[in-house]
Amino acid sequence: MSAADLLLWSFLFPLPTLVLSALGLPKRAGALSFLSPLAILVAGVAWLAQGAGSAKVAVPDFVRFLPDGAFRLTVDPLAGVMLLVVGFVSTCVFVYSQGYMAHDERPHRFFAFLDFFVACMCLLVVAGNLMVLLIGWTGVGIASFLLISFWWQKDGGAPLKAGYLALGANAIGDAALLVAVVLVPSGLGELSGLGAIAHEAPERATALAWCLVIAACAKSAQGPLWWWLPSAMAGPTPVSALIHAATMVAAGVYLLVRTAGVIVDAPTVAYTTAWIGVWTALLAGVASLWQPNFKRGLAYSTVSQLGWMFTAVAVGAPFAALFHLVTHAAFKAMLFLSAGTVIAATHHEERIDQVGGLAKKLPFAFGYFVLGTAALIGTPIVTAGSFSKDAILEATLASPWPELGWLLLAGAFLTGAYAGRLLFGVFLGAPGPATEHAHHPGKIFDLALLPLAAGAIALGYLEAGTGALSGLLHDVVAVGEPVHVQPTLLGLGAFAIGLFGVAAGALLARTSTKCLPLPPFAELWQALWGEAQAIPEGVAALHTGRVSRYALIVLLGVAVSIGVAVAPVAGREAPPPVETKRRPYVPTDPRKKKDEERRKKKEQEERARRQQQRKEQQQEMRLDATRGDLKPLKAPAKPAEGSAP
Amino acid sequence: MTDLLADLSWTSRAELILVGTMLALLALAPRLEKSTTATSLLGVFGALGAGACGLQVEGLPRLGMLVVAVGVVVAMLLLQVAELFDLRQRPEAAALVVVGGLGALVIVASRSLLEIAIGVELLSLSGATLVALGRGQRPLEAAFKYFLLSAVTFAMFLFGMALLFLANGSFGLDALNEVFGPGRGVALAGAALMVMGLAFKLALLPVHFGALDAYTAGPASLVGFVMLASKLGAAAGIAKIASASGASVQQLLLGAGLLTIGFGVVASFAQTELRRLLAYSAVAHAGFLAIAAGSPKLGMPTALFYVVCYGAAALLAFAALAGTGSAANDDQLPVARLGNGLGRARALALVLALASLAGVPPLPGFWAKLAVLMTAWKAWGPVPTALVALGGVIGVIYYLRPVPDLLAQSKQEGPRLSLGVALALALTAGLVLFLAFAPGWGYWLANN
């Protein structure tokens, strides 16, 4: 059994620790849980060492009513790389969680949910067709809900409401993906071959592309479906790092990279997606500056960075998107976990104006945050973020829509501003009220982030100068220009703009609120949302319990139903009755026999007359048709007649 | 006598077994009221007999017999904890359960409208009376409404039959196909009336009201069966009439189905009690069933597959709730604090049931919705398909609302699990899990 075959079943790896945690074992919660993602990571490394091969398994006719009802699992280089990312980040987060959740009431529950998430995420990655992908896709959504609302009774149920929001957005994406599953014609079941739909069934290609983009937008909080991710920060911070920064929200990008062929072959969809990505990147960058809660500020940063990846896929550079996905997973998880360290140190203080000057008390977290900020703004050579970000910028500028690239370059300023605001607002400047009581939460908070920090520095060299990543993926993903170690002029320019942004952010962090004032339309939005919540009660009020009301609705409904059913034949002149063996039952009375006979005679006459009429009509129609045929012959004769006299 | 038996079809034998069981239960009622175990065993044997007959045949009757058998067995296992007004009425309740199963089976195996009418009447009798046997004032009121509205809708069904007879002089199901000419309009009006009459049993808009009341107030241990039997009978009947009566009736079902899904989904958001939530869920699911039953192609197998998947989850949900309510307010289970006092086994069962009802893959509810989507796509094109898909997944929000609470349940908190409830939970949960990992088998059962 090769490592690729083993990776096919990676979604089963977390099951043993899941069961243990569910049973409340071991006594120190999570002490063994990190072994599952570590096993995935080790299997992934073994797969790399064995030459990164592919493997497939399929159970045919798993679902009989679908065109492609097979249960397919596939491991190819793309899935392998994604599994490595999942294993790597999860291992760090699992270790970190042991510290973060040490004082929780129900830590075993937490680790069971995390294991469930990792299992679903792995299934999503190794899915060989859309149906299996949907199982993992919905699974991670539910795991996300369970973890967001992990402290569901806190703050008057606010985490539970945040969980509903996440479920709602995810449901829209799930619906789109469900339609996509139904759309895929038979023979194109495998995800890797889905791109051929443009040739095999062109009438469905655009619809499928839309479905995939809507699903990806929901998962990655893009465009009109962004709203759930910031509120998802109500969950524990390790969850925000793993699910809402590194892996699950990147699943949308993963899906688009997988099916890039479908998207690129539908130009309208690709163009719209690119704009969605750019606008989300810009607007989320601005929205991050409004947030008084620094964790939410980071969440908007994630939304913004995912926008960059969406743009990359849409302009036909899926490799750049995947590269950024890999590097972003490392440095964004690191940023979140260091924010988590701050939260743990200040006894769950998340407001930026309550903290400040924490650099001395939390030197490690400060160091990680500086490194993360440097990676976000793309500091050349020393951070991984610079290589992947430049790859996206270059690809977008070289695409048919270079204006998007210029907009992204402007977005680099916003990136710097929001990262700088958080860095200066939390770790530097004057100490806030919560800074005094802050204490270092423990060594595990520092050590768990070391691998991520190493990743944030070194992952860029997977591609830059070496071309290892593109070499691995070139069979599965369209790779673009090679990435060099020496910074390009464009990269340096973007970095300089980012530095200006950081300066602006630092200035903002010196104000009293440390954030931009909220725009007025935010209140309008709140008001509308409040109104919308009253709709269900209005509908449910139909159910009054009064029988008279029920009867009225029933009668009206039935009347409408009869109308709908009879409509196709109503108003049409009844054709002559067809002779059938069964005759309508007509009661005969000897006294009325004469009447009966007379009636029958009349009917027969009537029928004959109608038949005659119809014949005549038909003949007329035939004549019309003949005349119609003759017309072109007559037509040229007209001018001749006119000119004769 | 033996010759007569040999000539009987297996369906008739199953029906006879059920009739025999019912008669035995009623005849022995004065003795059986002292021993619930004997009552349950008698009912279970009857159901197993009917199920065994089902294994001898193929096609629709087999599915009908198996589903009815499972439903009756689960109801019998829950009889011990049934929330009855008068606990001495257990044998009567058991007999009524058997009658309900008989009604559903008669409709599934029917070849003429008269048989469907008899089945509907048996279902009404069983459903309304089972609800009325419940504890407290509310079940009585709900049963009265249910009975009243089922009488009205049954009258509509009969009137529809009369119209069809007027048009074609026959009660055969094929008769609808043979009506052309001036009688066509009359026949279609008759078909619409019959569909609406049956739709009451399905809990389809606009005739869903009685069902809402009954499912909310009836005794939890029996309502699951009432829902399953009426949905099975109604779906089979509607699919038969719709496939015989052509495009306009099918469009009617599509429209009513979409409306029902919309209503069920939106109204469910406002529900704060679990029983009401489950009742509204029964309405929303009726919408999917109507769309499946109204599909020109594969309508019947899709609808029955849906009934199997939905029924398994609904039985599980109600089995988890059986015998948990207090005497005063059986139906007051606030969703927000559901976890309090259910115990771990019931809580986990409820999570599984709710997730399946929500259509979480790979649970059976998901496969059922996928099957409906597939037929909707083939029959009606993209827009209805997208609407059905959205209606199918948005419910996940309210179904999963109590899940964090339920998962936090510890072992000790709930009432003791009796053997019957434990068996019922194991049977239904096993069925849900089996269908989750072998959806192809479930569909084969419905389609073969």
Side-chain angles (χ1 to χ4, degrees), chain B residues 107 110 112-120 157 173 198 237 240-241:
Chain B
I107 300 181
S110 63
S112 85
L113 293 170
L114 273 175
E115 284 177 80
I116 296 184
I118 291 168
V120 172
F157 183 86
L173 265 171
L198 281 171
K240 282 180 184 188
I241 294 174

Side-chain angles (χ1 to χ4, degrees), chain A residues 22-23 61-67 71 106 109 113 131 134-136 138-139 142 145-146 149 152-153 160 164 167-169 171-172 174-176 178-179 181-183 204 207 535-547 549-551 553-558 560-562 564-569 574-578 580 582-585, chain B residues 141 145 148-149 152-153 156 165-170 175 178 180-182 184-185 188-189 192-193 196 206-207 209-210 212-213 216 248-249 251-252 263 266-267 269-271 276 280 305 336 344 359-362 366-368 370-371 373-374 377-378 385-386 389-390 393-394 396-397 400-401 403-405 407-408 436-441 443-444:
Chain A
L23 294 174
D61 276 340
F62 184 69
V63 186
R64 285 162 194 258
F65 46 81
L66 284 182
F71 189 94
R106 297 191 173 94
R109 232 162 79 84
F113 288 171
M131 187 193 82
L134 185 54
I135 299 177
T138 318
I142 287 169
F145 161 71
L146 290 174
S149 44
W152 77 101
Q153 291 151 328
L160 199 55
Y164 300 159
L167 273 182
I172 295 171
D174 293 351
L178 258 175
V179 177
V181 170
V182 173
L183 271 175
R204 294 182 183 190
I535 294 174
E537 292 187 7
V539 174
L542 272 178
H543 182 213
T544 51
R546 297 178 69 121
V547 179
R549 176 72 68 84
Y550 294 176
I553 295 178
V554 166
L555 289 181
L556 283 178
V558 170
V560 172
S561 309
I562 294 177
V564 171
V566 181
V569 288
V578 178
T580 51
R582 281 201 203 90
R583 299 286 302 158
Y585 172 73
Chain B
E141 185 193 330
K145 286 178 193 164
L148 197 68
L149 286 169
V152 171
T153 47
M156 292 196 293
F165 190 81
L166 184 74
N168 206 26
S170 163
E178 294 169 4
F180 299 102
R184 184 81 183 144
L188 283 177
L193 274 170
M196 278 298 138
V207 285
F209 286 116
L212 264 183
D213 286 301
T216 308
S248 65
V249 173
Q251 280 162 3
L252 167 69
F263 170 81
V266 174
F269 275 101
Q271 303 312 317
R276 285 180 78 97
Y280 275 92
F305 179 58
R344 188 176 274 176
V360 171
F366 167 73
W367 301 122
L370 202 54
L373 271 183
M374 203 63 225
W377 169 258
K378 279 183 188 153
T385 312
L390 199 59
V393 294
I394 208 84
V396 79
I397 300 174
L400 295 194
R401 187 154 47 178
V403 166
D405 220 22
L407 285 179
F437 293 104
W441 184 83
Y443 193 71
W444 170 81

